[in-house]
mmCIF file of all heavy atoms in Angstrom:
data_model
loop_
_atom_site.group_PDB
_atom_site.id
_atom_site.type_symbol
_atom_site.label_atom_id
_atom_site.label_comp_id
_atom_site.label_asym_id
_atom_site.label_seq_id
_atom_site.Cartn_x
_atom_site.Cartn_y
_atom_site.Cartn_z
ATOM 1 N N ARG A 1 -29.514 137.299 -33.523
ATOM 2 C CA ARG A 1 -28.952 136.908 -32.128
ATOM 3 C C ARG A 1 -29.481 137.833 -31.040
ATOM 4 O O ARG A 1 -29.913 137.437 -29.926
ATOM 5 C CB ARG A 1 -27.435 136.890 -32.139
ATOM 6 C CG ARG A 1 -26.928 135.704 -32.996
ATOM 7 C CD ARG A 1 -25.393 135.952 -33.255
ATOM 8 N NE ARG A 1 -24.637 136.326 -32.086
ATOM 9 C CZ ARG A 1 -24.300 135.590 -31.110
ATOM 10 N NH1 ARG A 1 -24.567 134.247 -31.194
ATOM 11 N NH2 ARG A 1 -23.543 136.098 -30.111
ATOM 12 N N THR A 2 -29.493 139.151 -31.377
ATOM 13 C CA THR A 2 -30.147 140.175 -30.525
ATOM 14 C C THR A 2 -31.562 139.849 -30.180
ATOM 15 O O THR A 2 -31.961 140.102 -29.110
ATOM 16 C CB THR A 2 -29.886 141.531 -30.998
ATOM 17 O OG1 THR A 2 -28.472 141.771 -31.232
ATOM 18 C CG2 THR A 2 -30.362 142.616 -30.006
ATOM 19 N N CYS A 3 -32.273 139.455 -31.305
ATOM 20 C CA CYS A 3 -33.655 139.118 -31.128
ATOM 21 C C CYS A 3 -33.873 137.980 -30.075
ATOM 22 O O CYS A 3 -34.812 138.002 -29.274
ATOM 23 C CB CYS A 3 -34.221 138.747 -32.517
ATOM 24 S SG CYS A 3 -35.930 138.283 -32.407
ATOM 25 N N ILE A 4 -32.998 137.051 -30.119
ATOM 26 C CA ILE A 4 -33.091 135.838 -29.131
ATOM 27 C C ILE A 4 -32.874 136.461 -27.763
ATOM 28 O O ILE A 4 -33.543 136.056 -26.816
ATOM 29 C CB ILE A 4 -31.956 134.800 -29.523
ATOM 30 C CG1 ILE A 4 -32.338 134.080 -30.780
ATOM 31 C CG2 ILE A 4 -31.852 133.856 -28.383
ATOM 32 C CD1 ILE A 4 -31.191 133.124 -31.224
ATOM 33 N N ALA A 5 -31.861 137.306 -27.529
ATOM 34 C CA ALA A 5 -31.586 137.863 -26.310
ATOM 35 C C ALA A 5 -32.788 138.725 -25.639
ATOM 36 O O ALA A 5 -33.164 138.597 -24.619
ATOM 37 C CB ALA A 5 -30.318 138.753 -26.292
ATOM 38 N N ILE A 6 -33.403 139.444 -26.662
ATOM 39 C CA ILE A 6 -34.607 140.183 -26.190
ATOM 40 C C ILE A 6 -35.826 139.339 -25.886
ATOM 41 O O ILE A 6 -36.508 139.453 -24.916
ATOM 42 C CB ILE A 6 -34.970 141.207 -27.261
ATOM 43 C CG1 ILE A 6 -33.914 142.281 -27.431
ATOM 44 C CG2 ILE A 6 -36.353 141.787 -27.056
ATOM 45 C CD1 ILE A 6 -34.183 143.241 -28.587
ATOM 46 N N ALA A 7 -35.930 138.316 -26.750
ATOM 47 C CA ALA A 7 -37.104 137.335 -26.428
ATOM 48 C C ALA A 7 -36.923 136.694 -25.042
ATOM 49 O O ALA A 7 -37.892 136.472 -24.368
ATOM 50 C CB ALA A 7 -37.095 136.311 -27.593
ATOM 51 N N ARG A 8 -35.650 136.291 -24.697
ATOM 52 C CA ARG A 8 -35.317 135.639 -23.465
ATOM 53 C C ARG A 8 -35.616 136.725 -22.379
ATOM 54 O O ARG A 8 -36.256 136.320 -21.290
ATOM 55 C CB ARG A 8 -33.844 135.129 -23.401
ATOM 56 C CG ARG A 8 -33.627 134.471 -22.131
ATOM 57 C CD ARG A 8 -32.086 133.886 -22.264
ATOM 58 N NE ARG A 8 -31.150 134.907 -22.486
ATOM 59 C CZ ARG A 8 -29.985 134.803 -23.045
ATOM 60 N NH1 ARG A 8 -29.657 133.541 -23.464
ATOM 61 N NH2 ARG A 8 -29.190 135.789 -23.262
ATOM 62 N N ALA A 9 -35.264 137.895 -22.537
ATOM 63 C CA ALA A 9 -35.423 138.922 -21.445
ATOM 64 C C ALA A 9 -36.805 139.167 -21.215
ATOM 65 O O ALA A 9 -37.282 139.409 -20.139
ATOM 66 C CB ALA A 9 -34.760 140.198 -21.857
ATOM 67 N N LEU A 10 -37.735 139.227 -22.253
ATOM 68 C CA LEU A 10 -39.170 139.521 -22.077
ATOM 69 C C LEU A 10 -39.968 138.430 -21.673
ATOM 70 O O LEU A 10 -41.133 138.636 -21.209
ATOM 71 C CB LEU A 10 -39.617 140.072 -23.492
ATOM 72 C CG LEU A 10 -39.068 141.375 -23.972
ATOM 73 C CD1 LEU A 10 -39.667 141.817 -25.271
ATOM 74 C CD2 LEU A 10 -39.131 142.533 -22.855
ATOM 75 N N GLN A 11 -39.441 137.192 -21.803
ATOM 76 C CA GLN A 11 -40.324 135.986 -21.270
ATOM 77 C C GLN A 11 -40.226 135.993 -19.805
ATOM 78 O O GLN A 11 -39.185 135.975 -19.203
ATOM 79 C CB GLN A 11 -39.692 134.726 -21.956
ATOM 80 C CG GLN A 11 -39.936 134.603 -23.362
ATOM 81 C CD GLN A 11 -41.432 134.506 -23.677
ATOM 82 O OE1 GLN A 11 -42.020 133.430 -23.417
ATOM 83 N NE2 GLN A 11 -41.958 135.553 -24.196
ATOM 84 N N SER A 12 -41.408 135.757 -19.246
ATOM 85 C CA SER A 12 -41.436 135.696 -17.766
ATOM 86 C C SER A 12 -42.630 135.033 -17.303
ATOM 87 O O SER A 12 -43.745 135.189 -17.810
ATOM 88 C CB SER A 12 -41.327 137.119 -17.076
ATOM 89 O OG SER A 12 -41.502 137.066 -15.706
ATOM 90 N N GLN A 13 -42.551 134.118 -16.370
ATOM 91 C CA GLN A 13 -43.538 133.289 -15.826
ATOM 92 C C GLN A 13 -44.281 134.036 -14.703
ATOM 93 O O GLN A 13 -45.332 133.584 -14.326
ATOM 94 C CB GLN A 13 -43.034 131.903 -15.354
ATOM 95 C CG GLN A 13 -42.232 131.072 -16.438
ATOM 96 C CD GLN A 13 -43.157 130.674 -17.552
ATOM 97 O OE1 GLN A 13 -44.332 130.595 -17.368
ATOM 98 N NE2 GLN A 13 -42.574 130.542 -18.795
ATOM 99 N N ASP A 14 -43.664 135.041 -14.142
ATOM 100 C CA ASP A 14 -44.178 135.678 -12.957
ATOM 101 C C ASP A 14 -44.452 137.233 -13.206
ATOM 102 O O ASP A 14 -45.658 137.601 -13.147
ATOM 103 C CB ASP A 14 -43.290 135.476 -11.818
ATOM 104 C CG ASP A 14 -41.783 135.804 -12.071
ATOM 105 O OD1 ASP A 14 -41.572 136.339 -13.250
ATOM 106 O OD2 ASP A 14 -40.963 135.562 -11.328
ATOM 107 N N VAL A 15 -43.526 138.005 -13.258
ATOM 108 C CA VAL A 15 -43.679 139.460 -13.384
ATOM 109 C C VAL A 15 -43.494 139.972 -14.828
ATOM 110 O O VAL A 15 -42.552 139.660 -15.459
ATOM 111 C CB VAL A 15 -42.612 140.204 -12.435
ATOM 112 C CG1 VAL A 15 -42.840 141.714 -12.536
ATOM 113 C CG2 VAL A 15 -42.715 139.616 -11.049
ATOM 114 N N PRO A 16 -44.443 140.629 -15.320
ATOM 115 C CA PRO A 16 -44.434 141.143 -16.754
ATOM 116 C C PRO A 16 -43.331 142.236 -16.857
ATOM 117 O O PRO A 16 -43.018 142.940 -15.851
ATOM 118 C CB PRO A 16 -45.767 141.793 -17.012
ATOM 119 C CG PRO A 16 -46.364 142.077 -15.616
ATOM 120 C CD PRO A 16 -45.795 141.107 -14.758
ATOM 121 N N ALA A 17 -42.683 142.321 -18.030
ATOM 122 C CA ALA A 17 -41.620 143.267 -18.213
ATOM 123 C C ALA A 17 -42.299 144.727 -18.370
ATOM 124 O O ALA A 17 -43.297 144.892 -18.989
ATOM 125 C CB ALA A 17 -40.905 142.946 -19.476
ATOM 126 N N LYS A 18 -41.597 145.706 -17.745
ATOM 127 C CA LYS A 18 -42.094 147.023 -17.883
ATOM 128 C C LYS A 18 -41.081 148.013 -18.577
ATOM 129 O O LYS A 18 -41.319 148.911 -19.287
ATOM 130 C CB LYS A 18 -42.344 147.590 -16.511
ATOM 131 C CG LYS A 18 -43.458 146.917 -15.738
ATOM 132 C CD LYS A 18 -43.610 147.460 -14.303
ATOM 133 C CE LYS A 18 -44.732 146.786 -13.568
ATOM 134 N NZ LYS A 18 -44.928 147.253 -12.179
ATOM 135 N N VAL A 19 -39.784 147.685 -18.392
ATOM 136 C CA VAL A 19 -38.665 148.499 -19.012
ATOM 137 C C VAL A 19 -37.634 147.531 -19.546
ATOM 138 O O VAL A 19 -37.141 146.621 -18.826
ATOM 139 C CB VAL A 19 -38.065 149.420 -17.943
ATOM 140 C CG1 VAL A 19 -36.967 150.232 -18.653
ATOM 141 C CG2 VAL A 19 -39.112 150.342 -17.353
ATOM 142 N N LEU A 20 -37.303 147.702 -20.862
ATOM 143 C CA LEU A 20 -36.247 146.930 -21.442
ATOM 144 C C LEU A 20 -35.051 147.758 -21.588
ATOM 145 O O LEU A 20 -35.092 148.893 -22.153
ATOM 146 C CB LEU A 20 -36.681 146.372 -22.863
ATOM 147 C CG LEU A 20 -35.683 145.591 -23.692
ATOM 148 C CD1 LEU A 20 -35.293 144.364 -22.946
ATOM 149 C CD2 LEU A 20 -36.183 145.302 -25.011
ATOM 150 N N ILE A 21 -33.922 147.379 -21.067
ATOM 151 C CA ILE A 21 -32.652 148.109 -21.083
ATOM 152 C C ILE A 21 -31.618 147.434 -21.981
ATOM 153 O O ILE A 21 -31.293 146.330 -21.686
ATOM 154 C CB ILE A 21 -32.056 148.326 -19.679
ATOM 155 C CG1 ILE A 21 -33.168 149.004 -18.786
ATOM 156 C CG2 ILE A 21 -30.745 149.159 -19.657
ATOM 157 C CD1 ILE A 21 -32.882 148.960 -17.320
ATOM 158 N N LEU A 22 -31.281 148.158 -23.025
ATOM 159 C CA LEU A 22 -30.381 147.693 -24.068
ATOM 160 C C LEU A 22 -29.106 148.317 -24.097
ATOM 161 O O LEU A 22 -29.009 149.498 -24.220
ATOM 162 C CB LEU A 22 -31.088 147.778 -25.459
ATOM 163 C CG LEU A 22 -32.421 147.127 -25.538
ATOM 164 C CD1 LEU A 22 -33.330 147.830 -26.616
ATOM 165 C CD2 LEU A 22 -32.371 145.669 -25.940
ATOM 166 N N ASP A 23 -27.935 147.562 -23.917
ATOM 167 C CA ASP A 23 -26.701 148.152 -23.959
ATOM 168 C C ASP A 23 -26.009 148.014 -25.126
ATOM 169 O O ASP A 23 -25.399 146.996 -25.492
ATOM 170 C CB ASP A 23 -25.829 147.570 -22.785
ATOM 171 C CG ASP A 23 -24.562 148.331 -22.431
ATOM 172 O OD1 ASP A 23 -24.385 149.338 -23.139
ATOM 173 O OD2 ASP A 23 -23.699 147.865 -21.541
ATOM 174 N N GLU A 24 -25.947 149.044 -26.022
ATOM 175 C CA GLU A 24 -25.301 149.130 -27.317
ATOM 176 C C GLU A 24 -25.676 147.861 -28.237
ATOM 177 O O GLU A 24 -24.830 147.117 -28.732
ATOM 178 C CB GLU A 24 -23.767 149.196 -27.177
ATOM 179 C CG GLU A 24 -23.369 150.431 -26.452
ATOM 180 C CD GLU A 24 -21.860 150.768 -26.574
ATOM 181 O OE1 GLU A 24 -21.426 150.698 -27.700
ATOM 182 O OE2 GLU A 24 -21.221 150.981 -25.557
ATOM 183 N N PRO A 25 -26.976 147.590 -28.484
ATOM 184 C CA PRO A 25 -27.396 146.481 -29.215
ATOM 185 C C PRO A 25 -26.998 146.586 -30.691
ATOM 186 O O PRO A 25 -27.018 145.489 -31.334
ATOM 187 C CB PRO A 25 -28.848 146.443 -28.961
ATOM 188 C CG PRO A 25 -29.245 147.833 -28.807
ATOM 189 C CD PRO A 25 -28.123 148.384 -28.033
ATOM 190 N N THR A 26 -26.824 147.686 -31.236
ATOM 191 C CA THR A 26 -26.582 147.885 -32.703
ATOM 192 C C THR A 26 -25.079 147.900 -33.006
ATOM 193 O O THR A 26 -24.689 148.155 -34.159
ATOM 194 C CB THR A 26 -27.240 149.048 -33.199
ATOM 195 O OG1 THR A 26 -26.800 150.297 -32.584
ATOM 196 C CG2 THR A 26 -28.784 148.957 -32.942
ATOM 197 N N SER A 27 -24.299 147.763 -32.037
ATOM 198 C CA SER A 27 -22.758 147.972 -32.316
ATOM 199 C C SER A 27 -22.170 147.049 -33.335
ATOM 200 O O SER A 27 -21.255 147.424 -34.032
ATOM 201 C CB SER A 27 -21.962 147.861 -31.017
ATOM 202 O OG SER A 27 -22.122 146.515 -30.458
ATOM 203 N N ALA A 28 -22.779 145.869 -33.515
ATOM 204 C CA ALA A 28 -22.253 144.946 -34.413
ATOM 205 C C ALA A 28 -23.200 144.607 -35.684
ATOM 206 O O ALA A 28 -23.031 143.674 -36.467
ATOM 207 C CB ALA A 28 -21.976 143.469 -33.788
ATOM 208 N N MET A 29 -24.264 145.451 -35.793
ATOM 209 C CA MET A 29 -25.205 145.356 -36.847
ATOM 210 C C MET A 29 -24.932 146.183 -38.086
ATOM 211 O O MET A 29 -24.642 147.411 -37.913
ATOM 212 C CB MET A 29 -26.561 145.626 -36.279
ATOM 213 C CG MET A 29 -27.161 144.747 -35.359
ATOM 214 S SD MET A 29 -28.881 145.266 -34.953
ATOM 215 C CE MET A 29 -29.229 144.347 -33.441
ATOM 216 N N PRO A 30 -25.047 145.708 -39.334
ATOM 217 C CA PRO A 30 -25.063 146.482 -40.485
ATOM 218 C C PRO A 30 -26.246 147.388 -40.622
ATOM 219 O O PRO A 30 -27.342 147.108 -39.897
ATOM 220 C CB PRO A 30 -24.988 145.479 -41.622
ATOM 221 C CG PRO A 30 -25.515 144.230 -41.122
ATOM 222 C CD PRO A 30 -25.135 144.214 -39.590
ATOM 223 N N ALA A 31 -26.208 148.402 -41.389
ATOM 224 C CA ALA A 31 -27.328 149.474 -41.444
ATOM 225 C C ALA A 31 -28.684 148.737 -41.762
ATOM 226 O O ALA A 31 -29.619 149.096 -41.217
ATOM 227 C CB ALA A 31 -27.021 150.482 -42.411
#
């Protein structure tokens, strides 16, 4: 699910992504 959110964030038709900001993405993930 986090992968989907990142994929959506990085997809852009105009300006390429330069900085990805992730707010506690591992809080619900097992090791």
